Amino acid sequence: MPRRFRNELNWSDVTPKPLWLNRRAVLAGAAGLAATPALARIEAAQSAFSTDEAPNSLEDITSYNNFYEFGFDKSDPSANAHLLTTDPWSIVIDGLVERPGTYDLADVLKGQPLEERIYRLRCVEAWSMVVPWIGFELAGLLNRVGVQPGARYVAFETLLRPEEMPGQQSASLSWPYVEGLRLDEAMNPLTILATGLYGDIMPNQNGAPIRLVVPWKYGFKSIKSVVRITLTDRKPPTTWNRLQPEEYGFFANVNPQVDHPRWSQATERRVGSGFFADRLETKMFNGYAEHVAHLYAGQDLAVDY
Amino acid sequence: MKDLINSAARHVPVWAVWLTGSAPLLWLAVQVVQGSLGPDPAKTMERELGLWALRFLMLSLAISPLRWLGLNLLCFRRALGLLAFAYATMHLTVWVWPDMGLLWQQMAADIVKRPYLLLGAGAFLAMLPLALTSSNMALRRMGGAAWRRLHRLAYPALGMAILHFTLLSRVWTAELVIHLGLSLGLLLVRLLPKRPVLGRVAAAKPPPGNKVAERGAATERNFL
């Protein structure tokens, strides 16, 4: 008679979450979480698009944010984002789509395979991080709602709710935050809608409950807390471009050769690597050239910055 | 009220200004050691040191306008100016290393290409001779007039420093608007054709024949 399997492990043997999220453990285990998907609360498949670089700690990722809806300081979002209600949440999908409508978040997620995508994130301010996102390809959602033949761009909009987003009470940027992609960029398999990170649901300060992640573009393109997705035939306005068109282009591809008018983009600081860490060379398309360079064949990226 | 402050200020030793002025640095050092400066500690450090340099420069340039209002804090101005220079030097050092990681080529290329860096470098270079001639001996050697002329470099230094900060910002934060407003105020007040002379009258009118007091008053005026 075969011996029955007996689990000798107790709950006391489970590694406490703060420990397995410990940055040193993550570094030691080289993408530690990727190696232990069983501990993740959200089941997500691994992806060939993931980098093997060590992700930043959860603390870095959740305490160093540009999310001006919650304040200008990097630490403001982690201090203020608890004010945001993310449930219920729905997304208006409209414009040149076959099945426009207001989709509840659960409906948006329905049938979309969740993957863990460990991506580099390069901010236009010349710092970078590595984030283990959980999400699904935007193309999957767009195909489901049906893109009409005339559509050429996708426009995105962040929630406008000043009573929960104190930064929106000042007119520093025009609210709501809007962003956009060309349709071929939106359909690229690297482009995801992320609903979580580090195996857990998305922290509010990172753009809960659902945000865009476009890893070959500067971070400001990856719009957070999305409430509207509009397919359109013309290039949509984008927030930073509206504020300073000569500094922030529509494309905003990571490009070490095209500097921001006021500072260099040749190198970057990898945050979380300590006081004395060296700068890293910034890579063309943030290192994703093999997947996206063909999208810009024939374009002068110094003009289309 | 003014007299109260003035007489209280007379009892504050200059080393107390130095001690207070070192507090931000000490606090930053503690945070570096604790690892509580956030995920990008070098950048935070660099920013804070720069802000404190700007603030001490502003304070040192607030001494004269305060005197026109009757508040005499002149004895603290040298310490404030040197604190500004010390913070600016540390700010520059943290930029060179670790921030830029001693990438001399990129730094050189950036400085000539980026107005904000040019302005920052300009502000530092404008403060350098002021720090070097801050001693009593330098003042005596140069003579009051030349010393005073040289030390007018403090105005372009503040102008360049605040522009340096402004050009670095992506949006108009409250922090930027406050520093910019105060700095512009401190610079523009120098252009007023007729300065209020409330405090100066009392301080600068020695009884006739009192040579020492006359010389003292003259020296004081030289500091304006």
Side-chain angles (χ1 to χ4, degrees), chain A residues 136-171:
Chain A
F136 59 92
E137 292 179 9
L138 175 61
L141 177 66
L142 295 182
N143 287 332
R144 195 179 134 215
V145 296
V147 178
Q148 289 182 13
R152 292 186 53 220
Y153 292 93
V154 190
F156 303 86
E157 195 177 301
T158 294
L159 178 72
L160 178 66
R161 198 182 284 164
E163 65 273 23
E164 292 184 8
M165 298 175 132
Q168 289 180 339
Q169 290 161 19
S170 93

PDB file of all heavy atoms in Angstrom, chain A residues 136-171:
ATOM      1  N   PHE A 136      -1.635  41.994 -17.976  1.00  0.00           N
ATOM      2  CA  PHE A 136      -1.965  41.274 -19.211  1.00  0.00           C
ATOM      3  C   PHE A 136      -1.739  42.223 -20.376  1.00  0.00           C
ATOM      4  O   PHE A 136      -1.699  43.445 -20.203  1.00  0.00           O
ATOM      5  CB  PHE A 136      -3.399  40.769 -19.169  1.00  0.00           C
ATOM      6  CG  PHE A 136      -4.422  41.857 -18.985  1.00  0.00           C
ATOM      7  CD1 PHE A 136      -5.014  42.470 -20.079  1.00  0.00           C
ATOM      8  CD2 PHE A 136      -4.783  42.278 -17.701  1.00  0.00           C
ATOM      9  CE1 PHE A 136      -5.945  43.492 -19.911  1.00  0.00           C
ATOM     10  CE2 PHE A 136      -5.716  43.300 -17.528  1.00  0.00           C
ATOM     11  CZ  PHE A 136      -6.295  43.911 -18.627  1.00  0.00           C
ATOM     12  N   GLU A 137      -1.610  41.643 -21.564  1.00  0.00           N
ATOM     13  CA  GLU A 137      -1.301  42.474 -22.718  1.00  0.00           C
ATOM     14  C   GLU A 137      -2.505  43.332 -23.087  1.00  0.00           C
ATOM     15  O   GLU A 137      -3.629  42.840 -23.192  1.00  0.00           O
ATOM     16  CB  GLU A 137      -0.865  41.589 -23.885  1.00  0.00           C
ATOM     17  CG  GLU A 137       0.478  40.930 -23.599  1.00  0.00           C
ATOM     18  CD  GLU A 137       0.955  40.004 -24.722  1.00  0.00           C
ATOM     19  OE1 GLU A 137       0.332  40.007 -25.808  1.00  0.00           O
ATOM     20  OE2 GLU A 137       1.941  39.285 -24.482  1.00  0.00           O
ATOM     21  N   LEU A 138      -2.231  44.614 -23.318  1.00  0.00           N
ATOM     22  CA  LEU A 138      -3.297  45.530 -23.722  1.00  0.00           C
ATOM     23  C   LEU A 138      -3.966  45.035 -25.000  1.00  0.00           C
ATOM     24  O   LEU A 138      -5.183  45.175 -25.169  1.00  0.00           O
ATOM     25  CB  LEU A 138      -2.707  46.942 -23.928  1.00  0.00           C
ATOM     26  CG  LEU A 138      -3.642  48.021 -24.474  1.00  0.00           C
ATOM     27  CD1 LEU A 138      -4.817  48.264 -23.540  1.00  0.00           C
ATOM     28  CD2 LEU A 138      -2.877  49.323 -24.710  1.00  0.00           C
ATOM     29  N   ALA A 139      -3.169  44.429 -25.874  1.00  0.00           N
ATOM     30  CA  ALA A 139      -3.713  43.923 -27.136  1.00  0.00           C
ATOM     31  C   ALA A 139      -4.873  42.962 -26.888  1.00  0.00           C
ATOM     32  O   ALA A 139      -5.859  42.945 -27.641  1.00  0.00           O
ATOM     33  CB  ALA A 139      -2.612  43.231 -27.938  1.00  0.00           C
ATOM     34  N   GLY A 140      -4.747  42.156 -25.810  1.00  0.00           N
ATOM     35  CA  GLY A 140      -5.815  41.207 -25.502  1.00  0.00           C
ATOM     36  C   GLY A 140      -7.134  41.910 -25.251  1.00  0.00           C
ATOM     37  O   GLY A 140      -8.191  41.483 -25.753  1.00  0.00           O
ATOM     38  N   LEU A 141      -7.099  42.990 -24.510  1.00  0.00           N
ATOM     39  CA  LEU A 141      -8.323  43.747 -24.219  1.00  0.00           C
ATOM     40  C   LEU A 141      -8.834  44.446 -25.473  1.00  0.00           C
ATOM     41  O   LEU A 141     -10.041  44.409 -25.765  1.00  0.00           O
ATOM     42  CB  LEU A 141      -8.048  44.774 -23.114  1.00  0.00           C
ATOM     43  CG  LEU A 141      -9.228  45.678 -22.755  1.00  0.00           C
ATOM     44  CD1 LEU A 141     -10.363  44.866 -22.128  1.00  0.00           C
ATOM     45  CD2 LEU A 141      -8.801  46.795 -21.805  1.00  0.00           C
ATOM     46  N   LEU A 142      -7.916  45.057 -26.224  1.00  0.00           N
ATOM     47  CA  LEU A 142      -8.347  45.785 -27.429  1.00  0.00           C
ATOM     48  C   LEU A 142      -8.980  44.824 -28.434  1.00  0.00           C
ATOM     49  O   LEU A 142     -10.001  45.136 -29.055  1.00  0.00           O
ATOM     50  CB  LEU A 142      -7.159  46.536 -28.048  1.00  0.00           C
ATOM     51  CG  LEU A 142      -6.570  47.655 -27.189  1.00  0.00           C
ATOM     52  CD1 LEU A 142      -5.435  48.365 -27.921  1.00  0.00           C
ATOM     53  CD2 LEU A 142      -7.640  48.670 -26.777  1.00  0.00           C
ATOM     54  N   ASN A 143      -8.386  43.631 -28.579  1.00  0.00           N
ATOM     55  CA  ASN A 143      -8.977  42.656 -29.494  1.00  0.00           C
ATOM     56  C   ASN A 143     -10.358  42.224 -29.020  1.00  0.00           C
ATOM     57  O   ASN A 143     -11.247  41.969 -29.824  1.00  0.00           O
ATOM     58  CB  ASN A 143      -8.055  41.433 -29.634  1.00  0.00           C
ATOM     59  CG  ASN A 143      -6.819  41.775 -30.462  1.00  0.00           C
ATOM     60  OD1 ASN A 143      -6.860  42.663 -31.316  1.00  0.00           O
ATOM     61  ND2 ASN A 143      -5.715  41.085 -30.181  1.00  0.00           N
ATOM     62  N   ARG A 144     -10.524  42.152 -27.713  1.00  0.00           N
ATOM     63  CA  ARG A 144     -11.808  41.699 -27.186  1.00  0.00           C
ATOM     64  C   ARG A 144     -12.906  42.727 -27.454  1.00  0.00           C
ATOM     65  O   ARG A 144     -14.029  42.359 -27.804  1.00  0.00           O
ATOM     66  CB  ARG A 144     -11.683  41.456 -25.683  1.00  0.00           C
ATOM     67  CG  ARG A 144     -12.854  40.658 -25.149  1.00  0.00           C
ATOM     68  CD  ARG A 144     -12.712  40.412 -23.658  1.00  0.00           C
ATOM     69  NE  ARG A 144     -13.980  40.696 -23.010  1.00  0.00           N
ATOM     70  CZ  ARG A 144     -14.104  41.217 -21.812  1.00  0.00           C
ATOM     71  NH1 ARG A 144     -13.016  41.522 -21.123  1.00  0.00           N
ATOM     72  NH2 ARG A 144     -15.284  41.438 -21.306  1.00  0.00           N
ATOM     73  N   VAL A 145     -12.579  44.009 -27.292  1.00  0.00           N
ATOM     74  CA  VAL A 145     -13.616  45.017 -27.534  1.00  0.00           C
ATOM     75  C   VAL A 145     -13.715  45.362 -29.022  1.00  0.00           C
ATOM     76  O   VAL A 145     -14.677  46.006 -29.436  1.00  0.00           O
ATOM     77  CB  VAL A 145     -13.371  46.317 -26.726  1.00  0.00           C
ATOM     78  CG1 VAL A 145     -13.455  46.036 -25.244  1.00  0.00           C
ATOM     79  CG2 VAL A 145     -12.039  46.949 -27.088  1.00  0.00           C
ATOM     80  N   GLY A 146     -12.762  44.923 -29.812  1.00  0.00           N
ATOM     81  CA  GLY A 146     -12.848  45.098 -31.254  1.00  0.00           C
ATOM     82  C   GLY A 146     -12.438  46.484 -31.714  1.00  0.00           C
ATOM     83  O   GLY A 146     -13.141  47.465 -31.501  1.00  0.00           O
ATOM     84  N   VAL A 147     -11.264  46.554 -32.337  1.00  0.00           N
ATOM     85  CA  VAL A 147     -10.761  47.842 -32.830  1.00  0.00           C
ATOM     86  C   VAL A 147     -11.293  48.063 -34.248  1.00  0.00           C
ATOM     87  O   VAL A 147     -11.125  47.214 -35.113  1.00  0.00           O
ATOM     88  CB  VAL A 147      -9.218  47.843 -32.843  1.00  0.00           C
ATOM     89  CG1 VAL A 147      -8.691  49.162 -33.410  1.00  0.00           C
ATOM     90  CG2 VAL A 147      -8.681  47.626 -31.433  1.00  0.00           C
ATOM     91  N   GLN A 148     -11.937  49.203 -34.459  1.00  0.00           N
ATOM     92  CA  GLN A 148     -12.442  49.501 -35.802  1.00  0.00           C
ATOM     93  C   GLN A 148     -11.285  49.859 -36.728  1.00  0.00           C
ATOM     94  O   GLN A 148     -10.256  50.385 -36.279  1.00  0.00           O
ATOM     95  CB  GLN A 148     -13.445  50.658 -35.735  1.00  0.00           C
ATOM     96  CG  GLN A 148     -14.765  50.251 -35.087  1.00  0.00           C
ATOM     97  CD  GLN A 148     -15.770  51.394 -35.075  1.00  0.00           C
ATOM     98  OE1 GLN A 148     -15.591  52.413 -35.757  1.00  0.00           O
ATOM     99  NE2 GLN A 148     -16.825  51.230 -34.290  1.00  0.00           N
ATOM    100  N   PRO A 149     -11.455  49.599 -38.035  1.00  0.00           N
ATOM    101  CA  PRO A 149     -10.353  49.802 -38.983  1.00  0.00           C
ATOM    102  C   PRO A 149      -9.796  51.227 -38.980  1.00  0.00           C
ATOM    103  O   PRO A 149      -8.609  51.424 -39.208  1.00  0.00           O
ATOM    104  CB  PRO A 149     -10.980  49.482 -40.339  1.00  0.00           C
ATOM    105  CG  PRO A 149     -12.178  48.651 -40.040  1.00  0.00           C
ATOM    106  CD  PRO A 149     -12.656  49.043 -38.672  1.00  0.00           C
ATOM    107  N   GLY A 150     -10.607  52.215 -38.700  1.00  0.00           N
ATOM    108  CA  GLY A 150     -10.134  53.606 -38.762  1.00  0.00           C
ATOM    109  C   GLY A 150      -9.290  54.038 -37.579  1.00  0.00           C
ATOM    110  O   GLY A 150      -8.677  55.106 -37.609  1.00  0.00           O
ATOM    111  N   ALA A 151      -9.217  53.219 -36.531  1.00  0.00           N
ATOM    112  CA  ALA A 151      -8.507  53.634 -35.312  1.00  0.00           C
ATOM    113  C   ALA A 151      -7.004  53.629 -35.552  1.00  0.00           C
ATOM    114  O   ALA A 151      -6.455  52.686 -36.127  1.00  0.00           O
ATOM    115  CB  ALA A 151      -8.856  52.698 -34.166  1.00  0.00           C
ATOM    116  N   ARG A 152      -6.323  54.694 -35.099  1.00  0.00           N
ATOM    117  CA  ARG A 152      -4.868  54.757 -35.246  1.00  0.00           C
ATOM    118  C   ARG A 152      -4.170  55.013 -33.912  1.00  0.00           C
ATOM    119  O   ARG A 152      -2.972  54.792 -33.774  1.00  0.00           O
ATOM    120  CB  ARG A 152      -4.492  55.851 -36.247  1.00  0.00           C
ATOM    121  CG  ARG A 152      -4.910  55.515 -37.681  1.00  0.00           C
ATOM    122  CD  ARG A 152      -4.402  56.556 -38.654  1.00  0.00           C
ATOM    123  NE  ARG A 152      -2.961  56.755 -38.511  1.00  0.00           N
ATOM    124  CZ  ARG A 152      -2.367  57.940 -38.564  1.00  0.00           C
ATOM    125  NH1 ARG A 152      -3.085  59.027 -38.723  1.00  0.00           N
ATOM    126  NH2 ARG A 152      -1.056  58.037 -38.437  1.00  0.00           N
ATOM    127  N   TYR A 153      -4.893  55.520 -32.949  1.00  0.00           N
ATOM    128  CA  TYR A 153      -4.299  55.837 -31.649  1.00  0.00           C
ATOM    129  C   TYR A 153      -5.189  55.337 -30.523  1.00  0.00           C
ATOM    130  O   TYR A 153      -6.400  55.123 -30.723  1.00  0.00           O
ATOM    131  CB  TYR A 153      -4.120  57.355 -31.480  1.00  0.00           C
ATOM    132  CG  TYR A 153      -3.088  57.952 -32.404  1.00  0.00           C
ATOM    133  CD1 TYR A 153      -3.461  58.475 -33.642  1.00  0.00           C
ATOM    134  CD2 TYR A 153      -1.747  58.000 -32.029  1.00  0.00           C
ATOM    135  CE1 TYR A 153      -2.516  59.028 -34.497  1.00  0.00           C
ATOM    136  CE2 TYR A 153      -0.803  58.558 -32.873  1.00  0.00           C
ATOM    137  CZ  TYR A 153      -1.185  59.069 -34.104  1.00  0.00           C
ATOM    138  OH  TYR A 153      -0.242  59.612 -34.936  1.00  0.00           O
ATOM    139  N   VAL A 154      -4.585  55.169 -29.351  1.00  0.00           N
ATOM    140  CA  VAL A 154      -5.335  54.836 -28.153  1.00  0.00           C
ATOM    141  C   VAL A 154      -5.084  55.940 -27.127  1.00  0.00           C
ATOM    142  O   VAL A 154      -3.934  56.267 -26.831  1.00  0.00           O
ATOM    143  CB  VAL A 154      -4.901  53.484 -27.557  1.00  0.00           C
ATOM    144  CG1 VAL A 154      -5.868  53.055 -26.453  1.00  0.00           C
ATOM    145  CG2 VAL A 154      -4.821  52.417 -28.635  1.00  0.00           C
ATOM    146  N   ALA A 155      -6.159  56.517 -26.617  1.00  0.00           N
ATOM    147  CA  ALA A 155      -6.045  57.555 -25.593  1.00  0.00           C
ATOM    148  C   ALA A 155      -6.446  56.975 -24.242  1.00  0.00           C
ATOM    149  O   ALA A 155      -7.357  56.148 -24.157  1.00  0.00           O
ATOM    150  CB  ALA A 155      -6.940  58.738 -25.943  1.00  0.00           C
ATOM    151  N   PHE A 156      -5.728  57.403 -23.197  1.00  0.00           N
ATOM    152  CA  PHE A 156      -6.000  56.916 -21.839  1.00  0.00           C
ATOM    153  C   PHE A 156      -6.252  58.095 -20.916  1.00  0.00           C
ATOM    154  O   PHE A 156      -5.722  59.185 -21.126  1.00  0.00           O
ATOM    155  CB  PHE A 156      -4.812  56.124 -21.293  1.00  0.00           C
ATOM    156  CG  PHE A 156      -4.389  54.955 -22.139  1.00  0.00           C
ATOM    157  CD1 PHE A 156      -3.498  55.138 -23.189  1.00  0.00           C
ATOM    158  CD2 PHE A 156      -4.879  53.682 -21.886  1.00  0.00           C
ATOM    159  CE1 PHE A 156      -3.099  54.074 -23.975  1.00  0.00           C
ATOM    160  CE2 PHE A 156      -4.482  52.608 -22.662  1.00  0.00           C
ATOM    161  CZ  PHE A 156      -3.592  52.797 -23.710  1.00  0.00           C
ATOM    162  N   GLU A 157      -7.026  57.841 -19.881  1.00  0.00           N
ATOM    163  CA  GLU A 157      -7.349  58.906 -18.939  1.00  0.00           C
ATOM    164  C   GLU A 157      -7.305  58.340 -17.515  1.00  0.00           C
ATOM    165  O   GLU A 157      -7.795  57.238 -17.257  1.00  0.00           O
ATOM    166  CB  GLU A 157      -8.752  59.430 -19.254  1.00  0.00           C
ATOM    167  CG  GLU A 157      -9.088  60.755 -18.616  1.00  0.00           C
ATOM    168  CD  GLU A 157     -10.483  61.222 -19.047  1.00  0.00           C
ATOM    169  OE1 GLU A 157     -10.710  61.394 -20.263  1.00  0.00           O
ATOM    170  OE2 GLU A 157     -11.342  61.368 -18.171  1.00  0.00           O
ATOM    171  N   THR A 158      -6.720  59.132 -16.607  1.00  0.00           N
ATOM    172  CA  THR A 158      -6.675  58.765 -15.189  1.00  0.00           C
ATOM    173  C   THR A 158      -7.920  59.287 -14.487  1.00  0.00           C
ATOM    174  O   THR A 158      -8.529  60.266 -14.928  1.00  0.00           O
ATOM    175  CB  THR A 158      -5.411  59.376 -14.535  1.00  0.00           C
ATOM    176  OG1 THR A 158      -4.255  58.779 -15.091  1.00  0.00           O
ATOM    177  CG2 THR A 158      -5.386  59.156 -13.029  1.00  0.00           C
ATOM    178  N   LEU A 159      -8.262  58.633 -13.401  1.00  0.00           N
ATOM    179  CA  LEU A 159      -9.378  59.081 -12.565  1.00  0.00           C
ATOM    180  C   LEU A 159      -9.240  60.555 -12.195  1.00  0.00           C
ATOM    181  O   LEU A 159      -8.153  61.030 -11.884  1.00  0.00           O
ATOM    182  CB  LEU A 159      -9.381  58.243 -11.279  1.00  0.00           C
ATOM    183  CG  LEU A 159     -10.436  58.582 -10.227  1.00  0.00           C
ATOM    184  CD1 LEU A 159     -11.811  58.136 -10.695  1.00  0.00           C
ATOM    185  CD2 LEU A 159     -10.087  57.926  -8.890  1.00  0.00           C
ATOM    186  N   LEU A 160     -10.345  61.273 -12.231  1.00  0.00           N
ATOM    187  CA  LEU A 160     -10.383  62.659 -11.735  1.00  0.00           C
ATOM    188  C   LEU A 160     -11.258  62.663 -10.488  1.00  0.00           C
ATOM    189  O   LEU A 160     -12.477  62.524 -10.577  1.00  0.00           O
ATOM    190  CB  LEU A 160     -10.971  63.603 -12.788  1.00  0.00           C
ATOM    191  CG  LEU A 160     -11.112  65.071 -12.348  1.00  0.00           C
ATOM    192  CD1 LEU A 160      -9.761  65.716 -12.120  1.00  0.00           C
ATOM    193  CD2 LEU A 160     -11.908  65.867 -13.375  1.00  0.00           C
ATOM    194  N   ARG A 161     -10.628  62.770  -9.338  1.00  0.00           N
ATOM    195  CA  ARG A 161     -11.389  62.749  -8.088  1.00  0.00           C
ATOM    196  C   ARG A 161     -10.597  63.533  -7.031  1.00  0.00           C
ATOM    197  O   ARG A 161      -9.947  62.944  -6.152  1.00  0.00           O
ATOM    198  CB  ARG A 161     -11.625  61.304  -7.648  1.00  0.00           C
ATOM    199  CG  ARG A 161     -12.759  61.153  -6.628  1.00  0.00           C
ATOM    200  CD  ARG A 161     -12.904  59.705  -6.194  1.00  0.00           C
ATOM    201  NE  ARG A 161     -13.568  58.857  -7.185  1.00  0.00           N
ATOM    202  CZ  ARG A 161     -13.540  57.517  -7.161  1.00  0.00           C
ATOM    203  NH1 ARG A 161     -12.867  56.888  -6.224  1.00  0.00           N
ATOM    204  NH2 ARG A 161     -14.170  56.823  -8.090  1.00  0.00           N
ATOM    205  N   PRO A 162     -10.649  64.872  -7.152  1.00  0.00           N
ATOM    206  CA  PRO A 162      -9.803  65.724  -6.291  1.00  0.00           C
ATOM    207  C   PRO A 162      -9.975  65.437  -4.803  1.00  0.00           C
ATOM    208  O   PRO A 162      -9.019  65.602  -4.036  1.00  0.00           O
ATOM    209  CB  PRO A 162     -10.272  67.146  -6.625  1.00  0.00           C
ATOM    210  CG  PRO A 162     -10.945  67.035  -7.941  1.00  0.00           C
ATOM    211  CD  PRO A 162     -11.502  65.657  -8.049  1.00  0.00           C
ATOM    212  N   GLU A 163     -11.191  65.009  -4.389  1.00  0.00           N
ATOM    213  CA  GLU A 163     -11.383  64.788  -2.951  1.00  0.00           C
ATOM    214  C   GLU A 163     -10.571  63.596  -2.451  1.00  0.00           C
ATOM    215  O   GLU A 163     -10.264  63.508  -1.265  1.00  0.00           O
ATOM    216  CB  GLU A 163     -12.877  64.641  -2.621  1.00  0.00           C
ATOM    217  CG  GLU A 163     -13.578  63.435  -3.203  1.00  0.00           C
ATOM    218  CD  GLU A 163     -14.120  63.680  -4.621  1.00  0.00           C
ATOM    219  OE1 GLU A 163     -13.613  64.589  -5.317  1.00  0.00           O
ATOM    220  OE2 GLU A 163     -15.040  62.943  -5.025  1.00  0.00           O
ATOM    221  N   GLU A 164     -10.182  62.692  -3.363  1.00  0.00           N
ATOM    222  CA  GLU A 164      -9.341  61.564  -2.949  1.00  0.00           C
ATOM    223  C   GLU A 164      -7.913  61.705  -3.468  1.00  0.00           C
ATOM    224  O   GLU A 164      -7.027  60.961  -3.057  1.00  0.00           O
ATOM    225  CB  GLU A 164      -9.940  60.248  -3.459  1.00  0.00           C
ATOM    226  CG  GLU A 164     -11.259  59.899  -2.784  1.00  0.00           C
ATOM    227  CD  GLU A 164     -11.801  58.545  -3.222  1.00  0.00           C
ATOM    228  OE1 GLU A 164     -11.100  57.800  -3.932  1.00  0.00           O
ATOM    229  OE2 GLU A 164     -12.951  58.241  -2.839  1.00  0.00           O
ATOM    230  N   MET A 165      -7.710  62.627  -4.396  1.00  0.00           N
ATOM    231  CA  MET A 165      -6.382  62.832  -4.980  1.00  0.00           C
ATOM    232  C   MET A 165      -5.989  64.289  -4.749  1.00  0.00           C
ATOM    233  O   MET A 165      -6.232  65.154  -5.589  1.00  0.00           O
ATOM    234  CB  MET A 165      -6.415  62.495  -6.474  1.00  0.00           C
ATOM    235  CG  MET A 165      -6.765  61.039  -6.748  1.00  0.00           C
ATOM    236  SD  MET A 165      -6.922  60.718  -8.528  1.00  0.00           S
ATOM    237  CE  MET A 165      -5.941  59.232  -8.694  1.00  0.00           C
ATOM    238  N   PRO A 166      -5.363  64.575  -3.581  1.00  0.00           N
ATOM    239  CA  PRO A 166      -5.134  65.968  -3.185  1.00  0.00           C
ATOM    240  C   PRO A 166      -4.325  66.777  -4.198  1.00  0.00           C
ATOM    241  O   PRO A 166      -4.505  67.987  -4.307  1.00  0.00           O
ATOM    242  CB  PRO A 166      -4.392  65.849  -1.848  1.00  0.00           C
ATOM    243  CG  PRO A 166      -4.037  64.416  -1.696  1.00  0.00           C
ATOM    244  CD  PRO A 166      -4.935  63.608  -2.569  1.00  0.00           C
ATOM    245  N   GLY A 167      -3.447  66.107  -4.947  1.00  0.00           N
ATOM    246  CA  GLY A 167      -2.656  66.838  -5.939  1.00  0.00           C
ATOM    247  C   GLY A 167      -3.520  67.473  -7.016  1.00  0.00           C
ATOM    248  O   GLY A 167      -3.133  68.467  -7.631  1.00  0.00           O
ATOM    249  N   GLN A 168      -4.702  66.890  -7.240  1.00  0.00           N
ATOM    250  CA  GLN A 168      -5.584  67.444  -8.270  1.00  0.00           C
ATOM    251  C   GLN A 168      -6.253  68.738  -7.817  1.00  0.00           C
ATOM    252  O   GLN A 168      -6.929  69.394  -8.600  1.00  0.00           O
ATOM    253  CB  GLN A 168      -6.662  66.408  -8.644  1.00  0.00           C
ATOM    254  CG  GLN A 168      -6.102  65.228  -9.422  1.00  0.00           C
ATOM    255  CD  GLN A 168      -7.165  64.205  -9.787  1.00  0.00           C
ATOM    256  OE1 GLN A 168      -8.218  64.152  -9.155  1.00  0.00           O
ATOM    257  NE2 GLN A 168      -6.886  63.395 -10.800  1.00  0.00           N
ATOM    258  N   GLN A 169      -6.067  69.078  -6.522  1.00  0.00           N
ATOM    259  CA  GLN A 169      -6.644  70.335  -6.046  1.00  0.00           C
ATOM    260  C   GLN A 169      -5.775  71.526  -6.430  1.00  0.00           C
ATOM    261  O   GLN A 169      -6.187  72.666  -6.295  1.00  0.00           O
ATOM    262  CB  GLN A 169      -6.841  70.275  -4.514  1.00  0.00           C
ATOM    263  CG  GLN A 169      -7.953  69.305  -4.134  1.00  0.00           C
ATOM    264  CD  GLN A 169      -7.885  68.851  -2.682  1.00  0.00           C
ATOM    265  OE1 GLN A 169      -7.235  69.494  -1.866  1.00  0.00           O
ATOM    266  NE2 GLN A 169      -8.534  67.741  -2.376  1.00  0.00           N
ATOM    267  N   SER A 170      -4.559  71.273  -6.911  1.00  0.00           N
ATOM    268  CA  SER A 170      -3.744  72.373  -7.434  1.00  0.00           C
ATOM    269  C   SER A 170      -3.687  72.236  -8.956  1.00  0.00           C
ATOM    270  O   SER A 170      -3.804  71.142  -9.500  1.00  0.00           O
ATOM    271  CB  SER A 170      -2.338  72.341  -6.841  1.00  0.00           C
ATOM    272  OG  SER A 170      -1.452  71.625  -7.677  1.00  0.00           O
ATOM    273  N   ALA A 171      -3.504  73.362  -9.614  1.00  0.00           N
ATOM    274  CA  ALA A 171      -3.586  73.378 -11.073  1.00  0.00           C
ATOM    275  C   ALA A 171      -2.211  73.255 -11.718  1.00  0.00           C
ATOM    276  O   ALA A 171      -1.984  73.761 -12.805  1.00  0.00           O
ATOM    277  CB  ALA A 171      -4.277  74.656 -11.532  1.00  0.00           C
TER     278      ALA A 171
END
